[in-house]
Amino acid sequence: MNIHIPTPLRAYTGGAETVSVPGATVTEVFNNLTSQYPDLKQQLFNTEGKLRSFVNVYFNDEDLRYLPEKEATAVAATDELTIIPSIAGGTDAVSPCCSCCPSL
Amino acid sequence: MLHIDYANYEALRAHGEETYPHECCGVLLGKSDAEGNHVRQIVRAGNTRTDSAHNRYNIAPIELVKIQRQARGLGLDIVGFYHSHPDHPAQWSPTDFAEAHWFGCSYVITAVEKGKAAITNSFLLTGTSEEDKKFRDQPIEIAVAEQAQQ
């Protein structure tokens, strides 16, 4: 199946935006991905082997975390995985600007 | 260096004025090379932090997936992000830093003072991991299209 790699992680896939990796489940695909590109492992997983909290993985258009079987989900060659780090931030200002914005 | 044309530069600043007093956010599509990040197109995104939109922003991951797909279709990459700081300086905050994970990408921040876009700054996220990452000030080069000769 194809895995789409976000810009910051392409340094670990030889610049490839899309890599094709075999596997019958998401776990197998990830194992094969990190075997093929070992430096990706510490970027994607913490020391306990869990996906880092800011790393989102989408199975086609579904968030892997909300799939019933999660990493055990069966995959077909035509499915796609997308790895997408989160993007967020803010000013750290503490006062509300209006009645719809509660103070932190 | 962040290279952006005047129209896109003004568009991302205008976005911050439109959403004031809330934060706006969006994605910069383009290409990267040794000279920096070159913006070809900006894509507005929704701020999911409706609980605290005046001082927080978050782009839904599924929206990012679709924007990355859009970029792929255009032969472009995600090269950065932008957001606004309503009535707050155009400097990255501890929250911006903690939530920054796109190494090599530009994080553009526009201060919007009383509804008017003021200073716009760009910061390049450098490093290779959460442990060694840093924001570096990144100069912005704004390309102004030459007017047609009459």
Side-chain angles (χ1 to χ4, degrees), chain A residues 4 6-8 10 17 43 54 58 61 82 84-93 95-97 100-102 104, chain B residues 22-23 51 54-59 61-62 64 69 72 77-78 85 88 93-96 99 101-103 107 128:
Chain A
H4 298 295
T7 326
R10 292 179 202 165
E17 191 278 343
Q43 299 290 330
F54 57 84
Y58 274 72
D61 281 347
T82 301
I84 202 93
S86 62
I87 177 72
T91 63
D92 294 333
S95 57
C97 67
C100 68
C101 299
L104 291 179
Chain B
H22 295 162
E23 296 198 9
D51 60 316
H54 69 294
N55 67 353
R56 290 284 185 272
Y57 80 95
N58 179 78
I59 301 176
I62 186 61
L64 279 177
R69 189 177 296 153
R72 190 161 59 246
D77 301 315
I78 292 176
H85 280 180
H88 207 76
S93 67
T95 301
D96 288 329
E99 300 283 0
H101 310 294
W102 287 70
F103 301 106
Y107 285 73
T128 58

Side-chain angles (χ1 to χ4, degrees), chain B:
Chain B
M1 182 82 78
L2 177 69
H3 305 265
I4 186 168
D5 64 84
Y6 184 74
N8 279 321
Y9 178 75
E10 279 303 300
L12 68 84
R13 286 164 55 80
H15 192 189
E17 293 182 344
E18 287 175 35
T19 61
Y20 181 88
H22 295 162
E23 296 198 9
C24 74
C25 49
V27 184
L28 309 177
L29 305 185
K31 283 291 182 183
S32 298
D33 62 20
E35 295 179 358
N37 291 328
H38 302 259
V39 178
R40 300 277 185 263
Q41 186 175 328
I42 70 167
V43 180
R44 291 186 174 197
N47 182 1
T48 67
R49 287 298 303 269
T50 52
D51 60 316
S52 192
H54 69 294
N55 67 353
R56 290 284 185 272
Y57 80 95
N58 179 78
I59 301 176
I62 186 61
E63 190 169 9
L64 279 177
V65 168
K66 291 175 179 174
I67 292 171
Q68 183 166 276
R69 189 177 296 153
Q70 176 184 349
R72 190 161 59 246
L74 294 168
L76 302 175
D77 301 315
I78 292 176
V79 297
F81 305 91
Y82 71 88
H83 72 283
S84 61
H85 280 180
D87 296 319
H88 207 76
Q91 295 294 321
W92 56 269
S93 67
T95 301
D96 288 329
F97 183 70
E99 300 283 0
H101 310 294
W102 287 70
F103 301 106
C105 285
S106 302
Y107 285 73
V108 175
I109 301 173
T110 297
V112 182
E113 299 172 356
K114 296 179 179 174
K116 193 73 182 166
I119 295 172
T120 296
N121 288 323
S122 182
F123 305 95
L124 179 69
L125 185 66
T126 64
T128 58
S129 69
E130 293 302 299
E131 290 70 37
D132 70 357
K133 70 180 182 182
K134 285 182 181 170
F135 267 139
R136 283 177 38 199
D137 293 353
Q138 183 181 44
I140 303 176
E141 183 180 76
I142 303 164
V144 179
E146 291 183 17
Q147 291 187 335
Q149 303 235 339
Q150 297 185 357

Side-chain angles (χ1 to χ4, degrees), chain A:
Chain A
M1 73 184 304
N2 283 341
I3 305 177
H4 298 295
I5 308 295
T7 326
L9 297 184
R10 292 179 202 165
Y12 308 102
T13 59
E17 191 278 343
T18 303
V19 297
S20 187
V21 177
T25 64
V26 172
T27 295
E28 282 187 28
V29 169
F30 269 129
N31 287 340
N32 289 330
L33 175 70
T34 52
S35 294
Q36 198 170 334
Y37 304 104
D39 292 339
L40 267 182
K41 192 168 187 175
Q42 65 173 10
Q43 299 290 330
L44 299 176
F45 300 97
N46 62 23
T47 52
E48 297 169 345
K50 302 286 186 188
L51 274 172
R52 292 182 181 272
S53 59
F54 57 84
V55 175
N56 303 290
V57 176
Y58 274 72
F59 175 70
N60 299 319
D61 281 347
E62 300 293 330
D63 189 331
L64 185 64
R65 286 170 293 199
Y66 301 118
L67 290 178
E69 297 187 68
K70 302 186 186 324
E71 285 88 346
T73 300
V75 304
T78 52
D79 289 324
E80 292 186 329
L81 280 184
T82 301
I83 298 169
I84 202 93
S86 62
I87 177 72
T91 63
D92 294 333
V94 293
S95 57
C97 67
C98 55
S99 60
C100 68
C101 299
S103 178
L104 291 179

